[in-house]
């Protein structure tokens, strides 16, 4: 079981594509950040890597891809998924001794 409780961004979002949907839960504090993949250029600037971006995008579940598409796709700018939108995609989890076992 993977509990997302707080900020999860960049490479951490790969968990959505590698862990079965029924093994992921989110707390009310969960916040996912997505952006295009990038490489470091010769001058230290970030250069978007379209192939790596597509590879990341293709790993995400359909609902997450649709949400990303509705916000213009993966770009260098971070976009955030949280609150009701995230709760509509993943089941809630609770961080106490009576944690949900669903």
């Amino acid at each position: 079981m993977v509990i997302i409780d707080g900020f999860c961004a960049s490479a951490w979002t790969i968990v959505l594509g590698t862990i079965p949907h029924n093994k992921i839960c989110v707390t009310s504090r969960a916040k996912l950040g997505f952006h295009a993949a990038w490489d470091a250029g010769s001058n230290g600037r970030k250069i978007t890597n379209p192939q790596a971006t597509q590879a990341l995008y293709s790993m995400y579940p359909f609902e997450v891809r649709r949400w990303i598409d509705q916000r213009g796709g993966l770009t260098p700018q971070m976009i955030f998924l949280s609150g009701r939108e995230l709760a509509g995609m993943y089941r809630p989890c609770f961080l106490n001794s009576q944690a949900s076992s669903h």
Side-chain angles (χ1 to χ4, degrees):
M1 177 61 67
V2 173
I3 298 171
I4 302 176
D5 178 41
F7 191 51
C8 172
S10 302
W12 282 103
T13 62
I14 292 172
V15 73
L16 302 179
T18 57
I19 304 296
H21 191 272
N22 66 340
K23 298 291 184 187
I24 298 173
C25 66
V26 296
T27 71
S28 60
R29 299 186 312 189
K31 183 176 184 178
L32 306 180
F34 301 86
H35 62 81
W38 57 270
D39 296 316
S42 59
N43 60 359
R45 285 192 172 165
K46 294 178 182 178
I47 300 171
T48 299
N49 181 324
Q51 293 82 13
T53 298
Q54 182 57 41
L56 283 173
Y57 176 84
S58 69
M59 293 179 70
Y60 296 135
F62 172 77
E63 303 87 8
V64 174
R65 290 194 316 263
R66 183 176 59 200
W67 179 87
I68 290 169
D69 291 344
Q70 291 170 345
R71 280 143 190 84
L74 294 174
T75 70
Q77 298 297 105
M78 184 86 69
I79 55 175
F80 300 98
L81 173 58
S82 62
R84 288 186 178 141
E85 289 179 305
L86 180 57
M89 294 180 199
Y90 291 90
R91 66 188 178 91
C93 51
F94 306 95
L95 300 180
N96 61 37
S97 61
Q98 297 175 339
S100 172
S101 61
H102 301 296

